[in-house]
Amino acid sequence: MRMADRVDRLRPTGHAVELVDPPDPALLVSRSVATGPYALFATIRLPVSMDQALRLIPATVGAHRPEGPDSTIVDIGGPDADGLARYLLSLATPLRVLSPDAVRKALLRRTEELFEDNANGESR
C-alpha cells in the first residue's frame, strides 16, 4: 500500500472548517517518532521539569507532557519489558513506571539483581 505524506496541490472546497481544539503539531510529530515501530509502550513519571526530562529522554525517543513545574510524564516505546527496563535504569534518575505492569516488574527485577550483586560482592 502506498501512503502519501506530502500535499502537492491545494484545492478550496468552499466549506470553512473551524478547529475548536486543534492538536499540537509538535506533539503529534514527537509521538509518531517516539512511538515508532515498538512492540511495547510505557508511561513513566520523571520528578523533573520538562526541560530536564527532554535532556534525559530526547523528544525523538519519548513523547513528553508536563505534569506541573517539577514533574514530566513520558510515553516511550521499546522492544519488550526488559529492554525498556534496561533503558530506564540507564537514565540513572528517579522515576516511576505508571504503566504497564510488565515494565514495572522488569525494572524491579533488574534493580533487585543489581542490589544482590553488589550486596554479595559477586558479579553475574
Side-chain angles (χ1 to χ4, degrees), residues 14-30:
H15 300 283
V17 174
E18 182 181 336
L19 296 176
V20 178
D21 187 16
D24 177 358
L27 183 59
L28 289 175
V29 170
S30 173

Side-chain angles (χ1 to χ4, degrees), residues 27-38 59-62:
L27 183 59
L28 289 175
V29 170
S30 173
R31 282 190 179 144
S32 68
V33 169
T35 57
Y38 298 112
T60 55
V61 176

Side-chain angles (χ1 to χ4, degrees), residues 4-102:
D5 68 348
R6 305 286 189 276
V7 174
D8 67 352
R9 190 172 13 160
L10 179 64
R11 281 188 256 151
T13 63
H15 300 283
V17 174
E18 182 181 336
L19 296 176
V20 178
D21 187 16
D24 177 358
L27 183 59
L28 289 175
V29 170
S30 173
R31 282 190 179 144
S32 68
V33 169
T35 57
Y38 298 112
L40 183 66
F41 301 95
T43 302
I44 64 168
R45 177 183 293 121
L46 296 170
V48 297
S49 70
M50 181 80 143
D51 288 340
Q52 291 171 307
L54 284 163
R55 283 193 291 277
L56 287 168
I57 303 173
T60 55
V61 176
H64 302 66
R65 61 187 181 278
E67 188 187 55
D70 297 319
S71 183
T72 305
I73 303 294
V74 182
D75 297 311
I76 187 169
D80 53 39
D82 198 55
L84 275 169
R86 281 194 316 270
Y87 177 76
L88 295 174
L89 280 172
S90 77
L91 298 175
T93 191
L95 60 89
R96 178 175 297 272
V97 176
L98 302 177
S99 68
D101 283 339

